[in-house]
Amino acid sequence: MGDEIDGRDGGETGRRWPARRRVLARGAAAGAVAAFGWSPAFRVEARAASSGLPPSFPPGIRLVRQAFRNWSGEVAFDAVWTAVPAAPCEVLALADWARAHGWRLRAKGMCHTFSPFLARAREDTGRLVLVDTTEGLTAVEVHPGPPTTVTAQAGATLLAIQSALEAAGLGLTCVPAIGEVTVGGVLAMGGHGTGVPSPGAGRGPAGRADSSTLSDAVESLTAVVWDPAAGRHVLRAFHRSEPDTAAFLVHLGRAFVTEATLRVRPNVRLRCRSSFDVPVDELFGPPGSGPRTLDHWLRRAGRVEALWLPYTERPWLKVWTEEPERPPASREIHSPYPYPFYDTFPEEASRLAREVTGGAAAVTPLFTGALEQWIRLGLTATASWDLWGWSKNTLLYLRATTVRPAFAGWAVLCARGDAQRVLHDFWSRLRQGLATHRARGEYPLNGPFDVRITATDTAAPDGPLLSAACPRSDHPEWDTVVWLNTTAFPGTPGADSFHHDLEQWMLSHFTGWAAVRPEWSKGWAYGAGGAWTEGSVLTGAWPRAFRAGRGTGPGWDEAVAVLERHDPARVFRGPFHDSLFPSASTGP
C-alpha cells in the first residue's frame, strides 16, 4: 500500500520541504518565466468578477478568471475559472469542493500540448476549474543519495529542475527540447527526448534516467486520490514497486500528481554537432544503403535528431556524443537555447509565412527553403555548428517564444536494427503523399518533419502502462521507439486529409515487424473533423495497440480501471477522456 499523507495541517506536501530550498526554487522559476517572456493570458481576479462565481468556493485559495490557449492556439477560451493553489493541501480542498458541487478540475502547467486532454475546442467550461500549478507548486529538492534522485512539484519546469541538478553535478538526458514545460505535464503525456543506450548497456534502474521517457525515471510520486474510508481526498505516495503506480506514470490528465521523485545520473558534457551535409534521400534511405543513413549515426553516437523541411534537399542533422573534455573544434556554452535564430523568422520568411497562411499555398517551398537558409546562416553567425557543454545546455534548444505550429505525432516500436527501415518507409510514404497533394495545388506540410529515437520503457508490471514507449512482452526484441512528428500551421488546406491517409497507412504497414502508437501530446486519430476525431482509431486502434503483446500482465484496461478507482467521482476526468475510454464512461 502507498503512504497516505493528510497535508491539511499546514503541511506543504507529503514531505517537509526545506524552507530555504523551496524559496530559492520558486524564485528561480519565477525569474525564468519573466526572462523568457511567458505570462498568463488575460486574467481577472475572482473578486472583480461580476457574476458566475463557483458556489461555496473554498476560502483562502486564489481564484481568477483567465483566458486559456493551448500551444498552437487551436483550443482557446476567453475566460475559464482558474485556481492558483499555494500548496498541495489546497489541491485537496479543491478536489473535495469539486466532488461535493459537481464541478471538474484539471491540472494546468505551461499548456505546451496540442491534444485536448486539458481542454477541448468548444468545450462547455461552465463547471470547470483549471488548477494552475506554475505559481505555488514549483519546489525542487535534490537528494545526493544513494540513490541520486530529485523531487519536484508538478509545476516545476524542466529548466528549473535541470538547473538544480547541474548545480549538484547531476543531470537528466531523457528530456524534451523545451525547458519551459512543467514536469507534471511531461509525465502526464509521457514526454521524451532522444537517445538509446550504448551497445552492451543494461536497462537496470540507472538506465531509466537516460534513454526512454521521463516517466520511466520516476521512483515515486504523490497523487490526489479519493479515500473512501475517510470520505475525502488525500495525498497518497505511490512507490515504483506498487502495482497501481504504473497507471499514474503516464495518466493523460486523468489524475492530479502533485510531485514526483526521479532517479538521475551524474551529469555529462555533451558535444552537439550540426550539419546539412547529407541529402535527404541518403539520410532517410533504405537500410544498408550507405554510410550516411541516420542509423549510421545512431549506431556511432546513440543520440541523434533529424529535422527536414518539406520540399528542401538536406535535413538538419544533430548528433550528440559524450565528451568529458572540450574538443578543439567545439564552442563551449554555459546556458541552454544555443540557437536564438530558431525562435524567430527572418523578414523574408515572415513575409512568405503570411502569404502561406493567407492562402498562397504555392509559395510553401519558397518558405521552407528560406527557413533552411536562415538556420544555416544562424548556425554560422552564432558559431553553433559544433557545441559542447553540460547536458542541459545542448539538449534544451526550444524556447516558449518559438513559432507554434500544430504537430502530429506517432511512436513506432521496432527492433534497433529496423529503425532505419521505419524511417525510410515512413518518409517514402510522406513524400508520396506530399506529391499527391501538390498535384492538387495543396501543400499540407509547411513546417519540419522531425525524427527522434529512444529506447523503450521498463517492461510491465512496473513500467508506465499508458506510455507510447511501453514494451511488448511478445516482442522483447522491439527495444527501440522511433518518434515521428510533422508540422503545419493550423488550418493549412489538405493537412487533415493528408494526416488521415498517413495514419491509416501506418496502422496497416507497421504490423508484424513493428507497431505504431500515438504520441499523446501531439495530433493523431485524424478524421473528417481533424485530429482526435476518428472514432475507429480513438476507441479501436489505439486501445488495441496498448493491449497487444501484454500477455497476462497489466495493460490499457487495467490502467484505466486504476485511475477510475482512485477518482470514482471523476473530478479529474474531461470530455475527451470519455471519447478515449468509452467503456468507463458511465458513472460508478
Side-chain angles (χ1 to χ4, degrees):
M1 294 294 291
D3 300 323
E4 193 171 296
I5 307 155
D6 190 309
R8 284 174 167 77
D9 300 327
E12 179 146 10
T13 67
R15 101 187 355 87
R16 295 293 181 182
W17 291 94
R20 181 174 178 272
R21 183 74 59 88
R22 182 170 64 246
V23 171
L24 289 174
R26 287 178 177 164
V33 167
F36 296 121
W38 184 89
S39 60
F42 167 80
R43 174 181 279 189
V44 174
E45 298 292 333
R47 59 180 177 273
S50 58
S51 61
L53 286 167
S56 305
F57 192 78
I61 300 177
R62 188 181 177 199
L63 180 67
V64 298
R65 192 79 160 158
Q66 181 173 320
F68 170 83
R69 187 174 298 107
N70 77 337
W71 194 250
S72 62
E74 295 173 286
V75 179
F77 298 100
D78 290 336
V80 181
W81 287 116
T82 304
V84 188
C89 59
E90 293 190 353
V91 181
L92 293 180
L94 288 168
D96 287 343
W97 165 83
R99 179 185 173 98
H101 292 83
W103 282 58
R104 297 292 178 261
L105 304 177
R106 268 167 247 162
K108 183 180 82 67
M110 292 297 191
C111 305
H112 187 271
T113 185
F114 305 88
S115 53
F117 289 107
L118 178 57
R120 200 171 192 172
R122 296 176 294 281
E123 178 179 338
D124 181 2
T125 61
R127 301 180 72 84
L128 170 66
V129 173
L130 300 180
V131 183
D132 187 344
T133 63
T134 64
E135 295 191 27
L137 303 178
T138 59
V140 178
E141 183 178 6
V142 178
H143 311 282
T148 53
T149 60
V150 61
T151 300
Q153 290 183 315
T157 65
L158 291 188
L159 177 58
I161 295 169
Q162 288 179 288
S163 296
L165 288 172
E166 184 179 292
L170 303 169
L172 277 168
T173 55
C174 54
V175 292
I178 183 166
E180 288 86 49
V181 289
T182 63
V183 67
V186 174
L187 296 179
M189 296 292 113
H192 63 93
T194 187
V196 298
S198 58
R203 290 304 311 278
R208 292 211 301 264
D210 194 35
S211 58
S212 49
T213 66
L214 190 65
S215 296
D216 203 34
V218 171
E219 290 295 296
S220 64
L221 58 85
T222 300
V224 177
V225 301
W226 177 253
D227 184 337
R232 55 181 172 80
H233 290 89
V234 298
L235 292 171
R236 177 178 163 184
F238 291 85
H239 301 282
R240 189 62 182 259
S241 59
E242 298 176 58
D244 284 4
T245 307
F248 285 89
L249 296 173
V250 176
H251 57 76
L252 308 180
R254 185 59 188 86
F256 198 120
V257 171
T258 60
E259 69 174 44
T261 296
L262 292 80
R263 185 181 293 267
V264 297
R265 58 171 287 179
N267 206 2
V268 293
R269 304 258 195 187
L270 292 178
R271 182 186 191 184
C272 181
R273 283 170 285 183
S274 292
S275 73
F276 279 90
D277 296 341
V278 186
V280 66
D281 289 339
E282 290 188 54
L283 192 66
F284 298 165
S289 58
R292 299 207 293 178
T293 62
L294 190 65
D295 183 62
H296 168 75
W297 277 276
L298 181 68
R299 291 176 183 274
R300 288 183 60 186
R303 197 180 306 278
V304 299
E305 180 182 25
L307 185 151
W308 176 65
L309 287 156
Y311 321 108
T312 65
E313 296 301 320
R314 294 174 184 267
W316 180 9
L317 172 64
K318 293 199 286 291
V319 179
W320 288 265
T321 52
E322 292 190 17
E323 306 275 357
E325 302 293 332
R326 182 180 70 83
S330 300
R331 177 171 71 88
E332 184 174 1
I333 56 175
H334 302 280
S335 60
Y337 313 116
Y339 312 119
F341 52 86
Y342 200 60
D343 297 331
T344 58
F345 287 164
E347 182 177 347
E348 174 65 10
S350 296
R351 180 185 65 79
L352 292 170
R354 288 192 295 271
E355 292 188 29
V356 169
T357 56
V363 305
T364 298
L366 294 176
F367 169 65
T368 56
L371 286 185
E372 180 194 333
Q373 290 304 311
W374 177 246
I375 294 171
R376 288 172 178 259
L377 289 171
L379 288 168
T380 299
T382 60
S384 298
W385 291 97
D386 190 339
L387 301 172
W388 179 81
W390 290 117
S391 59
K392 112 177 135 50
N393 299 333
T394 62
L395 293 173
L396 299 183
Y397 67 86
L398 291 178
R399 294 181 185 266
T401 53
T402 302
V403 178
R404 304 179 182 188
F407 277 70
W410 299 272
V412 180
L413 273 70
C414 65
R416 183 73 48 80
D418 283 329
Q420 186 71 26
R421 178 184 174 188
V422 168
L423 174 58
H424 173 70
D425 290 1
F426 180 87
W427 179 72
S428 297
R429 180 68 184 192
L430 182 145
R431 183 176 55 177
Q432 177 186 336
L434 289 176
T436 299
H437 279 260
R438 191 171 188 173
R440 303 174 192 162
E442 293 179 339
Y443 295 79
L445 298 184
N446 41 48
F449 161 50
D450 184 73
V451 183
R452 291 185 160 212
I453 302 175
T454 71
T456 54
D457 288 332
T458 301
D462 63 338
L465 296 180
L466 296 181
S467 168
C470 62
R472 288 179 44 158
S473 60
D474 62 336
H475 284 286
E477 74 278 14
W478 293 0
D479 59 353
T480 300
V481 186
V482 182
W483 303 86
L484 305 163
N485 289 170
T486 60
T487 57
F489 292 123
T492 295
D496 289 342
S497 62
F498 172 85
H499 285 117
H500 168 81
D501 294 344
L502 183 63
E503 185 174 57
Q504 292 298 315
W505 170 84
M506 294 177 75
L507 287 166
S508 62
H509 183 74
F510 294 122
T511 58
W513 63 279
V516 62
R517 293 170 179 155
E519 182 170 1
W520 291 120
S521 63
K522 306 298 197 304
W524 34 267
Y526 282 86
W532 319 295
T533 64
E534 182 59 55
S536 64
V537 176
L538 279 173
T539 62
W542 293 150
R544 286 195 299 272
F546 284 86
R547 292 178 180 124
R550 305 309 287 266
T552 59
W556 176 273
D557 300 293
E558 290 77 12
V560 173
V562 167
L563 296 172
E564 289 288 316
R565 173 159 48 82
H566 287 290
D567 180 26
R570 295 178 168 83
V571 169
F572 305 117
R573 183 171 173 132
F576 190 60
H577 294 115
D578 293 338
S579 299
L580 194 61
F581 308 140
S583 62
S585 61
T586 58

